[in-house]
Amino acid sequence: MRVAVNIIILLFFGVCVFLLNDASVSARRLPDAKPSSLSIVHVNSQKDIYQVYKSAGLSGAKVVHLNRFLNLVDYFPKEESVSAPFPVRVGDSRSLYEKGLDAHNWLFVANRTGMVRSVVVVLPQEVFEQRLPEFESYFAYTVSGRTVKGYSYDMPMFVAALDSLPVINEPVVVNIDAGFFSEGVDPAGAVKQLKMKCPDIRLIVFSSSFDEPEVGDAMRERLSLFSRVWAEQ
Amino acid sequence: MIKNIYGNRHIVLWGIFLLALLVRCYGLSEQPPTDDEVGAASAATNYMSHGLFGQVMWYHPPLRNIVVFISGKIFGGYSAWGLRSGSIIFGSLAVLLLGYLVYGLFGKRLAAYLAAFFLCIDPLHISLSREAFQETTTSFFIVAGVLAAYHGIRKDNVFLAYLSGALFGIASASKWNGLFPWAVSAAAYYAAPWLLNGMEGRRKPFFRSLTVLSAYAAVPLICYIAVYVPWLLRGYSMEEFVKFQLWLVKHQYFYKGTPYTEDILSHSAYQWFLWPVAWVDFVFHQGKAYLNIAFGNYPVWVLTLPALYFAIREWFKSRSFELGYVILMFSASYLPLVFTTRAIWVFIATPVILFAFTLSAYAISALLDNKKISLKFLAIYLFLAVVFSAVMYPMATFGALEYSWMKPIAEIYSPHK
């Protein structure tokens, strides 16, 4: 009798884990796979990408983010934790996070509001090299070879240069920011590598980053070239 | 009549429970919500609606969000009661269950009453019961888990073992302090047939392991994972959940508090039972400053290490399973906190004092039985403990700036010095 009960409990545990995993994965919302017409959107600024995600109804998406910035600067609304008279009134935190949206935190905010669950940041090679000591020195990151794994709050993140990016087999949303196109980056080569490493792209957003002083016209031209090559292939 | 009341453990323990409830509820609405409590309210609502961790102690498992949310629903919003009733109820019930646990372990009424009373009047425990945090909830589920585990072992009742596993899973889903008694209870359950007379027939390693696996792994894990369901439904797979837990371990290990808590407050667990150590909170609410200074009850806390020594000595003489179980519970709950390199503040002591008070209550009761101390001595000691708590009570309920005689202590903990 005891053996039977134990086995039933162990089986129940296995079934619970399986069903919960299935329910969680099913809760993700990304645009449908349309091989003939991939959703491609062009925006002017980094934080406009947030609005694109919102319009697309994203939820729990994995984002592949090509830029020279992580766009993951922490932002926490102060209103959420300041003493107030009883009864304490609380509302939907997501709108408070959206109020603080800016060019450098929009991806962090997109995680807080539930649209993005994990991010793969692809940095230009030289930026990756420059930032490596920073990743090595902070406990949130683990550097392994040419890749970095870590967390931003509760969001898993992965940082790499395009060469060392592994193949990502799940459906993803891709941001291509003009800031990614440093002088050494070959747009045509980048298209080829990205298509190979992200075989299931559901939405692609090109950002000219007019709100970013470090991004110049040459970078935007290379982004245009990338966009043209992408459309041709 | 007094003798009759003393002889009925239910009346006495429920009486101590009512006293615990009273001192935890008194003037609750006048105690302003701290910034962190407001954050806890926001976290509760947003966790249940969107699976979003809040800003306050997000790195602990999220049972607090569920408890505060339910409490808010019961009281129709986050009033003082809606925000804190979970902590108060669980804090007070822990007093009751500790009494029953100690009675179950040693069969001594005095030890049961003393342990419950020590927890009932402990200023630190009172203070933490009056804030919307997870400390007293964790302690409640730990003591409930140990109670079920012990009776499960003694009565060879597998369903109590499952219940105990569930309670430890819930305790750990509140705070990871639940892991230590969970591990000790799992080991004790497995080893019981080899340690206890009359259970020789149960010495079957495979079947015993199977029960331990289901009662102390599968059942608690189901409960633990269930608490994370709102977060999981943000799209996280079980693989990502496991990796997230590993990240939290790393985060906990490297955690650093605010400069105030790191530089001004004592943050080493070895100090707890040697000299008075305080946890301090402050809030600026509607133009007025409030300071909370919560010490443990020093006359009680200082007994812990001598009581541990006494209990170990007694264990060597008697090899009592119960005594060994409590010594192991205390050691497993306390020593990891002593030896960790990160800061450990005294508010983390609530799961440890359950077993510290059990040991002290056992030692006092045994010494009284052996006539090593007199009833008069015990009465004087209890009087001292009550006076200490009474003096500390206003300080531990956000009134440290209200009375001039507390000023010297308040100045020690001033964030502006």
Side-chain angles (χ1 to χ4, degrees):
Chain A
M1 174 66 179
R2 279 190 184 200
V3 174
V5 173
N6 286 332
I7 289 172
I8 288 168
I9 287 174
L10 290 171
L11 285 174
F12 178 71
F13 172 70
V15 170
C16 282
V17 168
F18 176 80
L19 291 177
L20 195 52
N21 186 66
D22 195 49
S24 304
V25 172
S26 306
R28 297 172 189 167
R29 294 279 173 271
L30 281 89
D32 292 336
K34 289 181 284 185
S36 54
S37 58
L38 168 70
S39 299
I40 298 177
V41 183
H42 292 262
V43 295
N44 286 331
S45 75
Q46 296 175 85
K47 68 177 186 179
D48 288 344
I49 303 174
Y50 184 89
Q51 302 306 334
V52 174
Y53 287 1
K54 214 171 168 180
S55 310
L58 287 194
S59 177
K62 181 170 214 157
V63 165
V64 177
H65 179 61
L66 280 75
N67 197 356
R68 61 198 307 102
F69 306 107
L70 303 182
N71 297 97
L72 287 168
V73 172
D74 289 1
Y75 169 72
F76 295 105
K78 285 200 175 72
E79 305 91 306
E80 264 197 324
S81 55
V82 174
S83 185
F86 285 123
V88 174
R89 307 222 176 265
V90 298
D92 186 341
S93 286
R94 296 176 303 177
S95 55
L96 296 176
Y97 278 96
E98 284 180 346
K99 277 187 199 165
L101 193 72
D102 69 24
H104 295 139
N105 68 19
W106 69 267
L107 196 46
F108 179 81
V109 172
N111 168 254
R112 301 299 291 157
T113 55
M115 295 192 290
V116 174
R117 85 168 199 287
S118 79
V119 60
V120 176
V121 181
V122 182
L123 297 171
Q125 190 69 44
E126 85 279 4
V127 176
F128 182 80
E129 301 293 343
Q130 280 165 15
R131 297 197 69 163
L132 209 49
E134 176 195 330
F135 293 130
E136 282 168 335
S137 64
Y138 186 45
F139 75 87
Y141 303 113
T142 306
V143 178
S144 162
R146 311 294 303 154
T147 61
V148 179
K149 282 181 187 170
Y151 277 84
S152 165
Y153 202 70
D154 61 334
M155 175 169 65
M157 56 187 285
F158 185 92
V159 186
L162 200 48
D163 290 344
S164 47
L165 183 71
V167 175
I168 301 167
N169 286 314
E170 73 166 89
V172 291
V173 169
V174 175
N175 306 323
I176 316 284
D177 194 285
F180 177 73
F181 294 97
S182 309
E183 213 169 312
V185 176
D186 164 29
V191 169
K192 202 173 164 189
Q193 277 189 308
L194 193 63
K195 285 198 167 181
M196 193 177 71
K197 293 184 172 179
C198 301
D200 188 359
I201 298 173
R202 300 295 179 87
L203 168 67
I204 184 161
V205 188
F206 292 103
S207 164
S208 302
S209 261
F210 285 111
D211 56 345
E212 181 53 63
E214 285 188 41
V215 174
D217 289 342
M219 288 176 169
R220 291 190 188 101
E221 277 169 27
R222 282 191 283 273
L223 173 69
S224 299
L225 179 58
F226 180 97
S227 158
R228 284 199 299 277
V229 176
W230 183 279
E232 286 162 11
Q233 284 193 4
Chain B
M1 185 182 163
I2 289 175
K3 212 170 179 180
N4 283 344
I5 293 174
Y6 179 84
N8 187 328
R9 66 179 185 279
H10 302 296
I11 292 178
V12 177
L13 290 178
W14 281 91
I16 296 173
F17 163 73
L18 288 177
L19 178 64
L21 204 56
L22 181 72
V23 295
R24 280 156 181 76
C25 294
Y26 179 75
L28 190 73
S29 304
E30 280 81 61
Q31 184 175 310
T34 62
D35 296 353
D36 280 357
E37 282 184 292
V38 174
S42 176
T45 295
N46 283 284
Y47 182 68
M48 296 305 278
S49 322
H50 318 298
L52 180 66
F53 293 140
Q55 299 177 38
V56 182
M57 293 185 266
W58 63 271
Y59 38 83
H60 288 307
L63 182 72
R64 183 200 71 208
N65 291 334
I66 299 171
V67 170
V68 172
F69 181 80
I70 292 171
S71 164
K73 284 285 169 202
I74 291 170
F75 286 91
Y78 296 120
S79 60
W81 294 92
L83 198 55
R84 298 165 176 156
S85 72
S87 293
I88 288 178
I89 297 292
F90 287 127
S92 306
L93 282 173
V95 169
L96 180 69
L97 290 196
L98 184 64
Y100 278 109
L101 172 67
V102 175
Y103 185 80
L105 285 166
F106 304 118
K108 291 181 176 188
R109 277 192 294 268
L110 179 64
Y113 301 162
L114 285 175
F117 187 66
F118 290 160
L119 193 62
C120 168
I121 62 164
D122 191 79
L124 181 73
H125 195 266
I126 291 170
S127 177
L128 294 168
S129 300
R130 293 165 60 96
E131 290 190 65
F133 296 120
Q134 56 273 56
E135 308 307 324
T136 55
T137 306
T138 312
S139 303
F140 166 79
F141 283 105
I142 287 175
V143 74
V146 175
L147 185 63
Y150 173 69
H151 287 294
I153 291 168
R154 267 298 179 192
K155 295 173 183 162
D156 194 26
N157 184 327
V158 73
F159 292 101
L160 283 174
Y162 297 141
L163 175 65
S164 148
L167 291 164
F168 284 130
I170 298 170
S172 304
S174 177
K175 214 169 173 185
W176 285 348
N177 298 69
L179 296 173
F180 307 120
W182 172 1
V184 171
S185 294
Y189 184 84
Y190 179 82
W194 286 271
L195 300 174
L196 293 171
N197 293 328
M199 287 186 73
E200 292 78 4
R202 294 279 178 202
R203 289 180 184 173
K204 293 171 183 165
F206 174 76
F207 295 116
R208 206 73 191 165
S209 303
L210 194 65
T211 306
V212 169
L213 197 62
S214 59
Y216 288 104
V219 171
L221 281 175
I222 290 170
C223 296
Y224 185 86
I225 295 169
V227 169
Y228 273 97
V229 165
W231 181 80
L232 285 165
L233 292 177
R234 284 163 73 87
Y236 292 101
S237 67
M238 289 310 295
E239 184 189 347
E240 286 169 321
F241 170 75
V242 172
K243 286 180 178 166
F244 178 58
Q245 296 301 310
L246 296 175
W247 153 236
L248 290 181
V249 173
K250 195 174 171 186
H251 188 281
Q252 292 279 14
Y253 184 74
F254 287 102
Y255 178 79
K256 267 200 167 312
T258 60
Y260 175 78
T261 57
E262 292 281 341
D263 300 335
I264 295 180
L265 290 187
S266 303
H267 53 255
S268 299
Y270 80 87
Q271 302 172 347
W272 293 350
F273 304 115
L274 298 176
W275 53 80
V277 176
W279 172 246
V280 178
D281 259 340
F282 41 86
V283 62
F284 196 71
H285 180 77
Q286 298 196 297
K288 188 178 172 190
Y290 295 83
L291 180 66
N292 190 57
I293 304 175
F295 285 95
N297 190 322
Y298 185 63
V300 177
W301 286 46
V302 77
L303 280 190
T304 303
L305 298 180
L308 175 66
Y309 169 75
F310 177 82
I312 292 172
R313 221 183 56 175
E314 289 296 301
W315 182 82
F316 273 107
K317 285 185 210 159
S318 65
R319 304 285 164 164
S320 149
F321 174 81
E322 284 72 13
L323 206 46
Y325 188 46
V326 176
I327 292 167
L328 264 182
M329 281 290 176
F330 174 77
S331 308
S333 302
Y334 184 44
L335 293 181
L337 304 178
V338 171
F339 290 116
T340 185
T341 50
R342 58 156 275 191
I344 297 288
W345 295 277
V346 73
F347 72 85
I348 302 171
T350 47
V352 180
I353 58 175
L354 300 171
F355 307 113
F357 294 173
T358 302
L359 288 170
S360 300
Y362 165 80
I364 292 172
S365 164
L367 289 172
L368 202 69
D369 285 348
N370 298 338
K371 307 220 183 308
K372 295 273 168 56
I373 56 172
S374 64
L375 258 180
K376 196 173 162 189
F377 180 84
L378 176 62
I380 293 168
Y381 170 75
L382 287 178
F383 176 74
L384 261 179
V386 170
V387 167
F388 191 93
S389 275
V391 169
M392 292 288 141
Y393 185 81
M395 249 197 276
T397 51
F398 279 83
L401 298 176
E402 300 287 313
Y403 304 92
S404 57
W405 58 269
M406 294 178 194
K407 213 174 164 191
I409 300 176
E411 276 172 0
I412 295 172
Y413 294 103
S414 165
H416 303 299
K417 71 177 182 183

